[in-house]
Amino acid sequence: MLMIEKYRLAFDISPVPLLLISGSGEIVLANAGFLDLFGYEASELIGLSVEVLVPEPVRNRHPDLRSAYHRVPTKRSMGAGRDLYGVTKSGTVIPLELGLEPVLDSDEPMALVAAIDIRQRKAHEVRLRQAMDAAASAMVMVNHKGCIVLVNHAASELFQYEERDLLGKRVEMLVPEEFRPVHPVYTSSFMSNRTARSMGGGQDLFARRRDGSNIPVEIALTPVDTPEGQMVMSTIIDLSERVAAAEVMARKNKELEALNVELSHFAYSASHDLKAPLSSIVGLLNICLQDLDDDELDEVRVNIAKVMEISRRSANKIEGILTVARSGRDPVERAVVQLDAVVQDIWLDLTGGKSTTALLLELNHDAPVISEPATIKIIMENLLSNALRYGDPNKPEHRVCVRSWTVDQSLHVSVSDNGVGIPKENHEMVFLMFKRLDDRSGDGLGLALVKKQIDRLGGDITLTSTVGTGAEFSFTLPTEDKELEQNSGNSGR
Amino acid sequence: MSKIPVIVVDDETIDRYIVKRQLAKCDDFEQVLEVATGGEFLEAYFSEPRLTTQQSKPLLVLMDINMPQMSGFETIEELQRRMDVDSGPDSVVILMFTSSNNPEDRAKAESLPTVKGYVVKPLDEGGVETIRELYYA
């Protein structure tokens, strides 16, 4: 008891809340600071078991923990890394930091407990945590050994890990595999030369996500001194969107370059194809003038008729060029296309019902086809007109066959004929504007227009042909138009 | 003085007609031969008896540039190749005859050793005079 009196003096002058506990867990002494913190009078607390101060979930296990301590009494902090709590007389649970010290000079084993109220510190930690989690950039704090000690919400999101899967792990788990072996070297050299800087020295950096994908990032490194030692805070900015935007830009640039080349090709061809007939007209009219001087009126009449014919053809051609140039700019109505009827109508228009060429239809596509009726008409008109024109006079019969089928919601159509065919070296060129590869070629616009329209609709056109056996143009068109189907579905209800 | 033998290679019937009419007014030229494609021209040129050896003067060729199948330039390149291999007749004067005033076409014409000049359509009295001058140049 004398010993207790010795402690009481020290207790009462200590600003730190202190408690003296016997080996059996009975509260022997509590100072004013401790009583204040827990809201007890000394008379109420002395003699009670220390478990009254332990909150519910741990209370039952506490006597075992306590006796374990007394078997190997050492000076240490309680809880070893876990958050500790005490419960006051009024039932409030408060976070505590607890220090334990065995009292060795007494008859029975006793322990001195120092309790520090860390409510303020906890509140501060929560605020800091909230601030970090509110940050848009991912933050990862790494200690001098290269282990992750702190991550914010954005970092968990970015790397696709739960916070608990990251804490305590080596930071290399967030580094692309090929850089893992060298990364610890970088970490330790940063630790020995600690200045805020960006990582990678201008190189493109990538971070590895849980799913194994690497994303482009920018990383800023800031040294931080903490009670636990030197740390480095890395702020990581996801560049995926920026990189994707740059790629889109580059692709658009390529497209524009290609368009520019197409445009200059167009300008060259158009200037020739529009100028040539005008030259012919001037030449003919010049001759007409001479013939008028010589009173050759019949010749003048013939040549003026020729002039008119050339003029008419040129006007039509200009119309055609405008159609090609405009295609893709004007909005075109989408609707159900009756391919059968479209082909029959065009065939009648082209042949006037008088052709000896046989038309075979093998239409096996899934109905309905929803596309641009006007565009489909242009495509079929050109393909059928070509097929009709290139008959082989050496064969007893000229046949044109239109087939259709559906694969994965895309419409496949082929227009084939048993005519003269197209030489292999011309297969690429048939789709170029103004390319007339044959005397029977039209104005060199038809297939260029067909290709342009099919490209615009997201389809594809190919040519297979062998000279002497015929030619087959096949094209595909995506037919699904979810928006339209949904809209028509809604309006039906 | 003997007349100049002429062949016009042009897919446009009307342009060939204009050449025939304009050259007919000038006594210096023989009756104009005409073909519609480069292929026909090469066939005529290398057929027996040779077009050129029948004449006392070099054959004047008015060659259109923009033709289906084989362009004028392609035709001339093929002609030069076959003349080299064949060591065939080289008594020929080729003039490009086109509505194109494109600098690229002019440069291309200059690069071909057998091409002696460039005449822009339509052919009129001045053009006929130019052809005569180029031929004798």
Side-chain angles (χ1 to χ4, degrees):
Chain A
M1 278 301 110
L2 203 81
M3 192 220 63
I4 293 171
E5 290 310 308
K6 184 178 91 186
Y7 273 96
R8 189 188 301 277
L9 188 66
F11 261 44
D12 284 340
I13 59 170
S14 164
V16 178
L18 294 172
L19 196 65
L20 190 67
I21 297 170
S22 75
S24 59
E26 184 188 318
I27 297 171
V28 180
L29 209 59
N31 73 352
F34 194 94
L35 293 170
D36 266 4
L37 183 58
F38 280 80
Y40 284 99
E41 295 295 326
S43 57
E44 295 172 313
L45 202 55
I46 306 300
L48 291 183
S49 161
V50 73
E51 270 75 42
V52 298
L53 304 173
V54 179
E56 198 55 75
V58 196
R59 189 177 287 171
N60 295 336
R61 291 187 286 123
H62 197 258
D64 291 340
L65 297 171
R66 184 157 44 74
S67 51
Y69 173 77
H70 283 298
R71 273 196 289 277
V72 195
T74 48
K75 175 182 173 145
R76 63 172 172 86
S77 62
M78 201 192 282
R82 282 177 293 118
D83 287 340
L84 298 174
Y85 298 90
V87 61
T88 65
K89 185 181 170 190
S90 62
T92 309
V93 175
I94 50 177
L96 296 172
E97 193 174 294
L98 295 174
L100 280 177
E101 190 159 354
V103 178
L104 301 170
D105 57 348
S106 64
D107 309 334
E108 57 166 329
M110 284 205 195
L112 184 65
V113 181
I116 297 166
D117 176 8
I118 55 169
R119 272 178 293 187
Q120 285 260 318
R121 199 205 295 170
K122 280 276 167 194
H124 184 67
E125 271 177 25
V126 168
R127 272 200 299 279
L128 185 68
R129 178 78 223 185
Q130 282 170 340
M132 274 183 65
D133 282 343
S137 311
M139 295 166 136
V140 174
M141 191 145 89
V142 171
N143 67 13
H144 68 282
K145 287 188 239 154
C147 291
I148 299 167
V149 295
L150 194 72
V151 292
N152 71 347
H153 183 68
S156 302
E157 289 267 294
L158 179 65
F159 291 105
Q160 303 169 328
Y161 284 101
E162 296 294 325
E163 185 182 342
R164 63 170 179 274
D165 297 332
L166 290 169
L167 291 180
K169 303 280 170 52
R170 292 204 58 84
V171 70
E172 276 75 34
M173 74 187 286
L174 306 178
V175 173
E177 274 166 55
E178 61 264 42
F179 296 110
R180 281 182 192 172
V182 292
H183 192 264
V185 182
Y186 294 144
T187 308
S188 55
S189 63
F190 181 83
M191 290 297 179
S192 60
N193 178 22
R194 290 153 41 87
T195 46
R197 61 171 172 87
S198 60
M199 196 195 280
Q203 287 182 41
D204 289 343
L205 293 180
F206 293 90
R208 186 180 197 274
R209 288 147 61 111
R210 182 181 208 144
D211 64 10
S213 61
N214 291 337
I215 49 168
V217 289
E218 195 173 272
I219 302 180
L221 300 175
T222 315
V224 180
D225 284 316
T226 73
E228 287 81 37
Q230 297 184 334
M231 308 263 179
V232 51
M233 176 66 93
S234 19
T235 311
I236 302 139
I237 296 163
D238 180 0
L239 298 182
S240 303
E241 278 179 32
R242 226 187 285 173
V243 169
E247 275 167 10
V248 168
M249 190 80 93
R251 199 164 53 238
K252 279 263 174 291
N253 247 341
K254 272 240 161 65
E255 277 172 26
L256 282 178
E257 273 170 32
L259 275 178
N260 238 341
V261 171
E262 190 188 308
L263 186 66
S264 60
H265 175 74
F266 176 87
Y268 173 78
S269 305
S271 72
H272 172 268
D273 278 48
L274 298 180
K275 195 176 166 190
L278 288 176
S279 299
S280 300
I281 288 170
V282 172
L284 277 176
L285 291 177
N286 193 12
I287 287 170
C288 284
L289 284 180
Q290 295 163 13
D291 287 344
L292 280 176
D293 289 344
D294 299 340
D295 269 343
E296 299 276 1
L297 290 187
D298 286 345
E299 195 71 14
V300 170
R301 206 164 283 122
V302 169
N303 284 334
I304 285 182
K306 283 181 190 164
V307 165
M308 288 168 68
E309 173 56 24
I310 298 171
S311 306
R312 246 193 308 273
R313 261 195 290 144
S314 298
N316 286 341
K317 180 154 199 167
I318 290 170
E319 276 301 314
I321 293 170
L322 277 177
T323 310
V324 177
R326 256 205 316 262
S327 77
R329 278 217 313 254
D330 299 346
V332 185
E333 193 195 343
R334 289 179 78 88
V336 173
V337 179
Q338 304 290 353
L339 196 57
D340 188 7
V342 169
V343 171
Q344 301 277 16
D345 285 356
I346 294 169
W347 189 256
L348 196 64
D349 274 358
L350 289 173
T351 60
K354 290 187 211 115
S355 173
T356 54
T357 304
L359 173 68
L360 282 79
L361 287 182
E362 291 175 25
L363 304 179
N364 297 311
H365 59 276
D366 295 348
V369 173
I370 295 163
S371 190
E372 300 172 2
T375 310
I376 300 282
K377 185 161 179 279
I378 291 171
I379 293 168
M380 293 309 294
E381 229 164 36
N382 280 290
L383 294 181
L384 286 170
S385 145
N386 281 346
L388 195 58
R389 216 166 335 127
Y390 284 92
D392 187 342
N394 298 324
K395 287 173 191 155
E397 191 196 25
H398 186 45
R399 285 194 311 272
V400 173
C401 184
V402 179
R403 291 187 190 86
S404 72
W405 62 101
T406 302
V407 178
D408 294 337
Q409 287 195 304
S410 91
L411 171 69
H412 290 237
V413 179
S414 99
V415 177
S416 56
D417 65 77
N418 67 336
V420 292
I422 302 168
K424 188 114 192 98
E425 62 267 26
N426 288 345
H427 284 196
E428 297 260 321
M429 287 191 285
V430 293
F431 296 110
L432 294 179
M433 207 188 285
F434 302 113
K435 265 290 171 200
R436 289 148 60 235
L437 296 162
D438 191 274
D439 305 335
R440 272 175 283 190
S441 293
D443 46 19
L445 290 170
L447 284 175
L449 178 61
V450 165
K451 179 157 171 51
K452 202 169 166 192
Q453 294 287 8
I454 289 174
D455 283 350
R456 183 176 62 79
L457 292 178
D460 200 16
I461 184 163
T462 54
L463 161 64
T464 41
S465 175
T466 316
V467 171
T469 56
E472 176 172 16
F473 285 89
S474 319
F475 66 89
T476 63
L477 286 182
T479 56
E480 88 277 34
D481 190 329
K482 300 220 166 64
E483 212 175 306
L484 188 74
E485 278 163 24
Q486 271 167 12
N487 288 347
S488 60
N490 288 343
S491 63
R493 258 168 243 147
Chain B
M1 201 155 87
S2 65
K3 295 184 176 184
I4 304 170
V6 192
I7 186 165
V8 56
V9 187
D10 199 318
D11 60 315
E12 280 296 336
T13 317
I14 286 164
D15 290 3
R16 296 199 302 270
Y17 167 80
I18 294 167
V19 170
K20 278 192 293 182
R21 285 290 310 268
Q22 294 293 8
L23 294 187
K25 288 199 301 176
C26 180
D27 278 344
D28 290 3
F29 298 96
E30 291 201 17
Q31 177 147 19
V32 176
L33 301 169
E34 48 180 312
V35 286
T37 69
E40 284 173 37
F41 166 72
L42 292 172
E43 203 181 309
Y45 189 87
F46 289 104
S47 66
E48 299 292 343
R50 289 274 154 92
L51 264 181
T52 43
T53 49
Q54 302 163 44
Q55 316 292 343
S56 52
K57 282 191 162 173
L59 175 65
L60 171 65
V61 182
L62 294 177
M63 181 73 75
D64 185 21
I65 293 176
N66 205 299
M67 293 183 284
Q69 288 170 316
M70 218 178 191
S71 78
F73 289 133
E74 285 164 345
T75 307
I76 293 164
E77 278 161 3
E78 179 62 22
L79 173 77
Q80 286 177 182
R81 192 159 45 241
R82 281 165 70 169
M83 274 164 46
D84 291 346
V85 176
D86 234 27
S87 65
D90 55 357
S91 48
V92 60
V93 173
I94 302 175
L95 301 179
M96 300 318 291
F97 179 60
T98 172
S99 63
S100 162
N101 215 348
N102 191 297
E104 278 173 42
D105 286 340
R106 282 187 177 270
K108 173 89 181 163
E110 294 224 1
S111 75
L112 291 167
T114 45
V115 176
K116 212 169 173 188
Y118 198 98
V119 181
V120 177
K121 291 179 187 176
L123 188 60
D124 55 15
E125 294 87 337
V128 172
E129 193 48 41
T130 309
I131 288 175
R132 246 169 44 87
E133 281 167 14
L134 286 170
Y135 181 82
Y136 287 118

